[in-house]
Amino acid sequence: IYDRNGKILALSQLVDSVYLVPKELDNHPAEVKQLASILGLNPSELAAKISKAVADDKLFLWVKRKIDDDTSKKVLALNIKGIGAKKEYKRFYPTVTLASHLIGYRGMDSQALDGMELYANDYLKGEAGYEFLHRDGRRRLFVSDLPEKPSQPGQNIYLTIDVMIQHIVEKNLRELCKKFQPTSAQALVMNPATGEILALAQLPSFDPAEYQKSSEK
């Protein structure tokens, strides 16, 4: 998502998500403790999740999704059997809280939940692909000649919003809020000749990347 001048408001980038094979890590407290330490998790809770996954006969368990590159490198450097990383797209919002109510946000599985993310989702989301895989009796993958369809990327969209004007409007709104202490405040800047919305601000705002931590959505 861009503003009218090509300033990026939201973009998706590939990052690593850490997973493990439960049966490989069950009853391995030292390895689980190492992994939990790097990912900032409680080792006892992680061990309990692994044991439950084994009891439920699960072959795959997410440990922590969409982490930064440095953390991923530390995890993979452990070289522990049964621990790996899978690439997933993560949504980033470079302008942080600016125009957050307008831009909206996406969930952990990249589902559109609000704002332009939801309104323009048919353009932004792209098209999922598929691939069929063969496994032998030991669940090992091998090359298949079954049909596959590559995924298709979504489209970019440009808003009429001008980031500089949006910044000025929100700055003034914050000053007014500080002075008069309203519950909330809104402002709109429009080009009267064309009807284009140049700024659409609402306070309090929130960080779309951390939307689950905010009550201001």
Side-chain angles (χ1 to χ4, degrees):
I1 301 177
Y2 295 96
D3 84 336
R4 65 186 302 114
N5 300 309
K7 176 72 174 180
I8 297 175
L9 302 175
L11 77 157
S12 295
Q13 292 182 330
L14 283 171
V15 296
D16 281 340
S17 289
V18 177
Y19 69 88
L20 57 79
V21 179
K23 290 182 179 179
E24 298 285 358
L25 273 296
D26 195 27
N27 296 317
H28 288 74
E31 288 81 354
V32 170
K33 186 175 181 179
Q34 284 181 292
L35 179 61
S37 176
I38 293 174
L39 295 176
L41 302 175
N42 183 303
S44 297
E45 292 179 359
L46 179 56
K49 287 181 180 179
I50 293 171
S51 295
K52 185 178 185 304
V54 172
D56 293 339
D57 201 29
K58 291 185 177 180
L59 303 177
F60 179 95
L61 179 67
W62 284 120
V63 182
K64 193 166 186 179
R65 297 176 65 184
K66 302 183 180 182
I67 61 177
D68 61 79
D69 288 343
D70 287 341
T71 303
S72 177
K73 289 177 181 177
K74 290 177 181 178
V75 169
L76 297 178
L78 293 174
N79 197 29
I80 297 174
K81 185 179 179 181
I83 296 175
K86 177 180 174 62
K87 292 290 184 183
E88 291 191 288
Y89 277 104
K90 181 178 180 179
R91 202 65 164 164
F92 290 90
Y93 300 92
T95 54
V96 196
T97 62
L98 193 75
S100 57
H101 290 278
L102 171 64
I103 297 169
Y105 51 94
R106 290 179 176 269
M108 178 58 74
D109 292 310
S110 297
Q111 69 274 31
L113 298 174
D114 198 17
M116 290 303 300
E117 291 279 31
L118 179 59
Y119 179 79
N121 188 50
D122 286 345
Y123 296 97
L124 295 167
K125 68 179 180 180
E127 185 178 343
Y130 59 81
E131 180 181 10
F132 292 97
L133 299 172
H134 275 139
R135 290 183 185 272
D136 64 15
R138 295 183 178 180
R139 304 191 64 79
R140 294 176 298 189
L141 294 174
F142 61 92
V143 177
S144 168
D145 57 358
L146 291 173
E148 63 179 63
K149 178 183 177 183
S151 59
Q152 299 298 319
Q155 302 176 57
N156 300 323
I157 64 169
Y158 286 79
L159 307 183
T160 59
I161 296 297
D162 186 309
V163 162
M164 291 305 298
I165 297 175
Q166 181 78 25
H167 174 75
I168 292 169
V169 170
E170 291 193 15
K171 180 176 181 293
N172 280 275
L173 271 186
R174 282 193 294 271
E175 292 173 356
L176 288 171
C177 288
K178 185 176 181 180
K179 181 177 181 180
F180 296 106
Q181 299 294 310
T183 302
S184 63
Q186 299 179 0
L188 180 148
V189 178
M190 179 187 290
N191 182 337
T194 64
E196 292 177 309
I197 306 295
L198 302 178
L200 184 60
Q202 180 176 335
L203 294 180
S205 59
F206 64 95
D207 183 351
E210 302 287 345
Y211 72 92
Q212 68 278 7
K213 299 180 180 179
S214 174
S215 61
E216 304 298 341
K217 305 184 288 296

